[in-house]
Amino acid sequence: MKQILLTNDDGFDAIGLKALIEALSPIAKIIVVAPAKNKSACGHSLTLDRPLRLVNVDDDYYKIDDGTPTDCVFISLNNLFKEGFKPDLVISGINIGANMGEDITYSGTAAGAMEAVLQGVPAIAISQVCRNRCEDIKEGFDFALAKKTIAKIAKKILDDKFPLENRKFLNINIPPISIEECEGIKITKAGFREYGNDTHRHYNPRGEEFYWIGLHPLIWQESPDKNCDFEAIKANYVSITPIMLDLTSYNDIEKLNNWL
């Protein structure tokens, strides 16, 4: 039976992870290794300043105390599988909230997929876009469209092959709509995210100043070809963006040579 390793950045008991398990259990053996607590926006960070504990929660289900999604994937691929064997696929999510545009660089969800492809395993990051800053994600939210989409994509990969080259992964974002409202799937590019300055200054009872970073509104610059992830979601499409880890700006190499 095919094997899928799951992780996320919302924590081992997150409702999005539970939905992912439900969607994929019928098609593969599932192994879960996730952070013990929420690690949203931790990026592709690896813990090097302290030891990490892999804690067994249930059969093939683990959490890592104060670990990041990158830690989870790195440790599990190198310790939970026999030498020479790796899972057929790694899926990170279902994240609560969008991971589009430059937010991909902040995303712990995307980082789980990044680490997998660095380790030579095909990977997907999947996120559920929310209305009202995720206030619509309650215990009763069924993730129906996300579950249908990830089961379809994962099965296609397991039955055939991963569609991308090495060190590339699929970044999937799901619009906050029902299955019936969905217009289909679009292959997109990462959009141009606009950021604000949502920081709040407060004082603790001792008069010491501290800051709390808030959530930026989901604002972006329209692309001329109307084919970015933000616009696909706005038009009620599932967005799938191929992401590569090579961040080189190739168009600028000759320009810099001339500049020097």
Side-chain angles (χ1 to χ4, degrees):
M1 193 175 187
K2 300 287 187 175
Q3 294 186 335
I4 301 178
L5 173 65
L6 304 185
T7 193
N8 72 353
D9 71 356
D10 290 325
F12 77 100
D13 56 352
I15 58 173
L17 178 58
K18 293 175 182 176
L20 191 59
I21 295 169
E22 291 173 6
L24 299 173
S25 292
I27 66 172
K29 178 182 178 182
I30 302 301
I31 303 97
V32 178
V33 183
K37 62 182 181 180
N38 191 300
K39 286 289 183 177
S40 294
C42 67
H44 193 198
S45 57
L46 190 66
T47 301
L48 301 176
D49 61 346
R50 61 187 179 278
L52 297 168
R53 291 183 62 238
L54 188 66
V55 180
N56 185 248
V57 176
D58 204 342
D59 292 342
D60 295 318
Y61 204 125
Y62 302 86
K63 65 179 180 179
I64 294 183
D65 289 337
D66 205 28
T68 67
T70 302
D71 294 329
C72 292
V73 172
F74 183 85
I75 289 174
S76 58
L77 290 181
N78 291 290
N79 292 276
L80 292 183
F81 298 90
K82 293 180 180 180
E83 187 174 352
F85 290 89
K86 290 184 178 179
D88 299 281
L89 184 62
V90 171
I91 301 180
S92 183
I94 300 169
N95 186 65
I96 306 302
N99 277 308
M100 300 186 287
E102 291 86 351
D103 278 355
I104 296 167
T105 63
Y106 289 114
S107 169
T109 303
M114 288 180 191
E115 187 59 33
V117 297
L118 283 178
Q119 299 287 330
V121 182
I124 300 170
I126 178 168
S127 303
Q128 175 64 60
V129 182
C130 306
R131 296 188 182 96
N132 303 319
R133 295 189 173 187
C134 301
E135 291 175 7
D136 57 335
I137 301 294
K138 307 293 184 183
E139 285 294 338
F141 191 83
D142 62 6
F143 293 93
L145 180 56
K147 289 162 68 175
K148 178 181 178 182
T149 301
I150 195 61
K152 175 182 178 181
I153 299 299
K155 189 173 188 306
K156 185 173 179 62
I157 291 169
L158 296 178
D159 289 346
D160 187 9
K161 62 180 181 179
F162 194 63
L164 304 180
E165 299 169 345
N166 293 337
R167 301 201 173 193
K168 297 179 181 180
F169 68 93
L170 299 176
N171 186 47
I172 302 178
N173 281 274
I174 307 293
I177 56 176
S178 67
I179 292 175
E180 294 73 24
E181 294 172 297
C182 183
E183 297 290 340
I185 296 175
K186 272 193 175 182
I187 307 302
T188 60
K189 63 184 179 183
F192 193 105
R193 179 84 148 87
E194 292 190 353
Y195 292 94
N197 181 27
D198 192 8
T199 58
H200 304 268
R201 183 171 59 184
H202 301 277
Y203 296 88
N204 68 19
R206 297 182 179 182
E208 296 168 327
E209 186 177 274
F210 67 92
Y211 294 86
W212 194 279
I213 298 176
L215 292 174
H216 302 292
L218 206 58
I219 302 173
W220 67 93
Q221 291 185 12
E222 291 189 3
S223 58
D225 56 4
K226 303 289 184 181
N227 194 38
C228 77
D229 42 15
F230 295 102
E231 286 154 351
I233 293 296
K234 182 181 178 182
N236 287 350
Y237 285 89
V238 169
S239 166
I240 301 182
T241 307
I243 302 295
M244 66 179 184
L245 272 59
D246 182 352
L247 301 180
T248 306
S249 178
Y250 288 98
N251 292 337
D252 293 313
I253 289 177
E254 187 60 33
K255 181 191 297 184
L256 284 179
N257 277 323
N258 294 334
W259 177 71
L260 285 176

